[in-house]
Amino acid sequence: MSAQSTPTFRAVSPVGTAIQRANSARKGALIGYLPVGFPNLAESIDAAVALVENGVDILELGLPYSDPVMDGPVIQKATQTSLDNGFRLSDAFTAVEAIRARVDAPILLMTYYNPVVQYGIDRFADDLVSAGGAGLITPDLTVDSGAHWIAASDRTGLDRVFLAAPTSTDERLRLAVDNSRGFVYVVSTMGVTGARGDVDAAARTLVERLRANGLAEGSPAASTTGACVGIGISTGDQVAEVLEYADGAIVGSALVRALADGGVSEVARVAAGLAVGTAR
Amino acid sequence: MSTESATHLRDESGPFFGEFGGRFMPESLIAALDEISAVYEEAKADPTFAAELAELHRTYTGRPSIITEAPRFGEYAGGARIILKREDLNHTGSHKINNVLGQALLARRLGKTRLIAETGAGQHGVATATAAALFGMSCVVYMGEVDTERQALNVARMRLLGAEVISVTTGTRTLKDALNEAFRDWVANVSDTHYVLGTVAGPHPFPVMVRDFHKIIGEEARAQVLELTGALPDAVVACVGGGSNAIGIFHAFLDDPDVRLYGYEAAGDGVETLRHAATITKGRPGVLHGSRSFMLQDADGQTLDSHSISAGLDYPGVGPEHAWLSSIGRATYLPITDAEAMNAFRILCQTEGIIPAIESAHALAGAIELGRELGPDATILVSLSGRGDKDVETAGRYFGVLDEAALAASALEQNALDANELTDGEAEAGELDHDAALTAAARQALDEASSRVDDLSAATGNGVER
Ligand SMILES: Cc1ncc(COP(=O)(O)O)c(C=O)c1O
């Protein structure tokens, strides 16, 4: 990757802009997760493109990692396949570049912390900017442990998504709101990723608490931060329900399962079904 | 001897030890970690907590554990005076109970009713299952599939104690994956569940708290050696998996600069091969399981497989306090191969009549090397972290002294018996909490036994392994 050229600082959050656009045109944003390299690099790129072509506003690309403590069985299995196929970190930048060349949706990488640390936090940020990526979601890095990443993302203008959980104190919610750019990831339920029958009522409460702790009301301005709910969402109805109170709905396992079971055409079909839930 | 140092290494209490340690964890678990930190600080300040734990250690663990001189063993160690700290004599057979009882008391303070744990050798799982039984809590232990096979006896022990043992089939199916599974369980069940982490790794406050619960090993041993010899030992040695027994015995000596500290890591087939678990020797700093420390990883930061004959040392990470002690040069960490450990294992059995855990045999092998280097005037204190009952099958096979066919037959018979008893027991005591687990356990025991017969007949076909 070309880390030599100084990347241009981004004053406007690409993710925040996409959320704002989705909120003014529709009920809110649909954010779709897929791991890089599953079932192989080429198909993972095609599948991500298909998501955007079928109504996904923002892509969340997972970096396969050997010890994914926040992931449930469906995503674990997919990321393990990618690792077994020889996934390398550089594949993530390749994927971001390839997808951005074909569709115009912001791409967040979802990554555990150690791969970023080993790559070099600043080098990672620079290469992500060069590839056209929007920022990072960091499931095992919280604001209080994230000074280095916060500095690197401030320098480059990358978006950074921290998580908020039902168990977070008000003080910690405020930290997440103040330090996230793009959106705060609202963990709907206490548990790992995976489709669930109902999206926990805890998500609505948590979004209300985030609003009470400084999160902008209604559709966020591009420079501020939205609240997007993830974990457990798998149907268009659930997307619609979540968008009653949140700025975006994040879907992971349901898409990964569709890709595993029926390839790119199936993941496209499932994405289109989910996108119905974003209609006003 | 009592050179006063300006800073006390013993006072280091996290979250960071130098550049190591910290808390790199999902937000969902931060509240639980903060709660543990707060309740642990309260407990430390409350004399009744210390009194309760001391009473448990006196009447249940069997503390203080004794020290034993090992003169015949010492002949193999350059004639050095070898003193064993006998954590193997603790209830449940290893040092692990020190930490578990402390955390179980804490779990009770936290109002938690369910204990979960990861285990490698099974010693920490057995200790946690024991504490759960003692405190009337439910218990789930995560154990890599590979380890459930090589430590089958401990799986049975945990089930007999009423715990549910979940065989982990993700990732590399060993200790690191058992930790991942335990964290996943904890995220989903944190309201009623305490995660009894079994070593001095993981996110703050575990490395500090687990160390504090184990530092009694070194505190006792320091006084015992002083009383026996009139002086401090020249060196203190221990095996290092995650590093809990090592930090436990080191801690009281950290500010005794004349006492050398040696941690022995598992070198498996040798550190020049890819099959080892020598984390400090061969790893580099990274973040694994919630803290920054040395770890075995590839260029992309993916955790590498570790290998050791000893399940309890088969971990690609190490506690952050050890990484720090290594970086400041206070303690030295050296690799011991499977072959060296098994040689020391055999020597201790046959010179002192003590069968050590294979983990502890790594410390014994280190003592042999060190004694040869330091000579007959040296006194070396060795952490005998556990007993070898759990390893009889592995060691028996290693040395070719196991009657394979007889073992297979008796295992089948015994497991069938266990299965019947457990099923009967279930019918009578219909209200036992763990009925389902017990029946499942019995069924699995039968399955395991029959698959073991297959394995063994294959093994006898081409002679004993190795
Ligand atoms: C007897 C014994 N010693 C040592 C260890 C290694 O753990 P640690 O390095 O935390 O003491 C184990 C772990 O299972 C063990 O059972």
Side-chain angles (χ1 to χ4, degrees):
Chain A
M1 287 284 103
S2 54
Q4 296 94 317
S5 59
T6 318
T8 40
F9 177 81
R10 276 201 205 104
V12 178
S13 157
V15 169
T17 310
I19 290 178
Q20 189 187 36
R21 202 184 307 128
N23 272 278
S24 54
R26 288 169 285 122
K27 262 175 100 170
L30 178 61
I31 297 152
Y33 167 95
L34 287 175
V36 180
F38 174 78
N40 53 58
L41 185 58
E43 263 185 86
S44 69
I45 292 168
D46 289 344
V49 169
L51 290 191
V52 180
E53 288 170 347
N54 286 277
V56 164
D57 300 291
I58 297 162
L59 286 170
E60 178 186 342
L61 289 189
L63 245 78
Y65 175 56
S66 53
D67 297 275
V69 292
M70 268 301 283
D71 285 314
V74 171
I75 292 178
Q76 274 182 54
K77 195 160 173 244
T79 54
Q80 188 61 50
T81 301
S82 175
L83 288 171
D84 292 345
N85 291 344
F87 167 82
R88 295 299 314 263
L89 288 188
S90 54
D91 295 342
F93 301 111
T94 306
V96 169
E97 226 171 308
I99 296 163
R100 294 282 299 161
R102 288 166 61 181
V103 285
D104 183 26
I107 302 175
L108 291 164
L109 292 183
M110 204 273 342
T111 178
Y112 292 89
Y113 193 41
N114 195 49
V116 180
V117 171
Q118 299 308 321
Y119 195 87
I121 296 168
D122 286 296
R123 179 175 162 232
F124 197 102
D126 291 341
D127 285 359
L128 184 56
V129 171
S130 303
L136 295 185
I137 302 176
T138 52
D140 62 348
L141 185 70
T142 53
V143 172
D144 38 344
S145 298
H148 197 152
W149 160 235
I150 288 173
S153 46
D154 276 347
R155 178 176 61 77
T156 50
L158 284 169
D159 282 331
R160 53 174 182 251
V161 174
F162 289 107
L163 278 61
T167 48
S168 305
T169 59
D170 284 348
E171 190 191 347
R172 296 192 59 81
L173 293 184
R174 194 165 276 281
L175 267 186
V177 169
D178 290 348
N179 289 281
S180 293
R181 187 167 46 231
F183 63 87
V184 176
Y185 193 123
V186 179
V187 176
S188 67
T189 187
M190 294 301 288
V192 295
T193 55
R196 286 173 178 78
D198 329 282
V199 176
D200 214 294
R204 185 187 292 266
T205 313
L206 185 50
V207 172
E208 282 163 12
R209 290 180 58 218
L210 283 164
R211 304 266 186 238
N213 283 282
L215 194 76
E217 270 296 344
S219 53
S223 58
T224 63
T225 305
C228 297
V229 175
I231 299 198
I233 302 174
S234 61
T235 67
D237 286 348
Q238 288 173 334
V239 169
E241 184 195 324
V242 160
L243 294 182
E244 294 293 331
Y245 55 88
D247 303 306
I250 308 166
V251 181
S253 295
L255 293 170
V256 177
R257 178 169 289 142
L259 181 57
D261 292 349
V264 175
S265 60
E266 179 64 7
V267 87
R269 198 186 64 78
V270 170
L274 291 163
V276 171
T278 66
R280 249 207 269 272
Chain B
M1 189 175 59
S2 61
T3 326
E4 207 51 65
S5 45
T7 54
H8 293 286
L9 299 178
R10 263 175 307 164
D11 295 341
E12 232 26 79
S13 62
F16 280 91
F17 299 91
E19 59 171 304
F20 303 105
R23 186 187 272 178
F24 301 92
M25 272 280 120
E27 175 66 22
S28 300
L29 287 175
I30 300 292
L33 293 167
D34 277 341
E35 189 188 19
I36 293 171
S37 293
V39 172
Y40 176 56
E41 287 307 313
E42 261 170 50
K44 267 203 299 193
D46 178 356
T48 62
F49 183 82
E52 264 179 309
L53 186 54
E55 182 62 8
L56 270 177
H57 279 333
R58 194 178 65 80
T59 62
Y60 193 73
T61 312
R63 300 210 76 89
S65 66
I66 59 172
I67 54 169
T68 300
E69 286 220 50
R72 286 185 12 91
F73 179 86
E75 288 169 23
Y76 290 83
R81 187 171 187 182
I82 302 290
I83 300 171
L84 308 174
K85 177 61 173 168
R86 302 291 306 276
E87 292 298 300
D88 62 317
L89 297 179
N90 293 342
H91 179 46
T92 72
S94 80
H95 68 293
K96 298 283 182 187
I97 190 84
N98 301 328
N99 165 46
V100 166
L101 289 177
Q103 288 203 46
L105 276 176
L106 204 70
R108 199 162 69 183
R109 284 192 168 222
L110 288 158
K112 304 286 167 91
T113 55
R114 178 173 176 269
L115 300 181
I116 58 171
E118 86 293 345
T119 198
Q123 289 304 103
H124 175 60
V126 166
T128 305
T130 298
L134 180 67
F135 282 70
M137 297 176 177
S138 66
C139 181
V140 173
V141 178
Y142 292 92
M143 190 169 187
E145 190 182 37
V146 173
D147 295 331
T148 59
E149 284 159 15
R150 60 179 159 176
Q151 307 276 226
L153 211 54
N154 269 345
V155 175
R157 287 170 82 197
M158 290 183 265
R159 288 176 173 154
L160 291 171
L161 289 161
E164 183 185 351
V165 180
I166 297 183
S167 171
V168 175
T169 56
T170 52
T172 57
R173 302 166 189 233
T174 56
L175 183 52
K176 85 169 177 69
D177 306 288
L179 269 114
N180 293 339
E181 234 21 86
F183 278 122
R184 290 182 190 119
D185 178 317
W186 203 27
V187 171
N189 299 295
V190 70
S191 59
D192 70 347
T193 298
H194 176 68
Y195 177 16
V196 186
L197 213 153
T199 189
V200 287
H204 181 73
F206 283 110
V208 174
M209 182 171 73
V210 175
R211 175 202 71 193
D212 288 351
F213 288 138
H214 279 303
K215 69 184 183 188
I216 191 169
I217 304 172
E219 286 167 357
E220 286 175 6
R222 192 175 181 279
Q224 287 165 325
V225 172
L226 266 176
E227 191 189 296
L228 177 74
T229 69
L232 290 175
D234 297 290
V236 179
V237 309
C239 67
V240 180
S244 66
N245 87 92
I247 208 71
I249 200 162
F250 287 176
H251 194 256
F253 297 97
L254 286 182
D255 297 305
D256 297 319
D258 296 338
V259 179
R260 303 202 212 177
L261 307 175
Y262 290 92
Y264 294 100
E265 304 188 306
D269 291 347
V271 292
E272 69 288 353
T273 72
L274 288 174
R275 295 178 51 83
H276 62 77
T279 309
I280 295 182
T281 309
K282 297 291 281 188
R284 56 175 210 280
V287 173
L288 176 65
H289 294 142
S291 60
R292 183 181 153 82
S293 186
F294 277 81
M295 53 179 288
L296 300 177
Q297 55 185 325
D298 70 12
D300 281 356
Q302 309 284 359
T303 312
L304 290 174
D305 280 14
S306 55
H307 291 278
S308 169
I309 191 170
S310 137
L313 303 183
D314 200 346
Y315 180 58
V318 67
E321 193 167 2
H322 287 294
W324 173 65
L325 290 173
S326 170
S327 72
I328 62 172
R330 178 61 189 96
T332 305
Y333 298 83
L334 298 168
I336 293 291
T337 62
D338 287 354
E340 290 166 331
M342 293 313 286
N343 184 45
F345 177 99
R346 185 181 53 79
I347 294 172
L348 191 76
C349 289
Q350 296 182 4
T351 58
E352 303 291 345
I354 298 170
I355 301 179
I358 296 178
E359 289 79 15
S360 319
H362 288 70
L364 293 162
I368 290 175
E369 268 182 22
L370 187 64
R372 287 178 182 169
E373 189 187 314
L374 299 181
D377 294 336
T379 302
I380 301 174
L381 172 66
V382 183
S383 172
L384 198 67
S385 55
R387 58 177 175 248
D389 305 31
K390 69 184 173 63
D391 296 317
V392 166
E393 200 174 322
T394 305
R397 200 166 291 160
Y398 184 91
F399 292 115
V401 298
L402 204 63
D403 186 339
E404 302 273 358
L407 182 85
S410 89
L412 183 58
E413 207 172 283
Q414 190 55 49
N415 280 323
L417 263 175
D418 287 352
N420 285 335
E421 264 167 38
L422 293 174
T423 324
D424 291 346
E426 183 206 6
E428 281 158 35
E431 359 158 318
L432 245 184
D433 256 348
H434 307 301
D435 291 352
L438 284 177
T439 352
R443 227 176 289 119
Q444 187 167 341
L446 267 175
D447 291 345
E448 276 170 11
S450 36
S451 75
R452 205 171 313 134
V453 176
D454 296 340
D455 291 347
L456 285 181
S457 26
T460 20
N462 45 4
V464 185
E465 273 176 57
R466 285 169 199 273

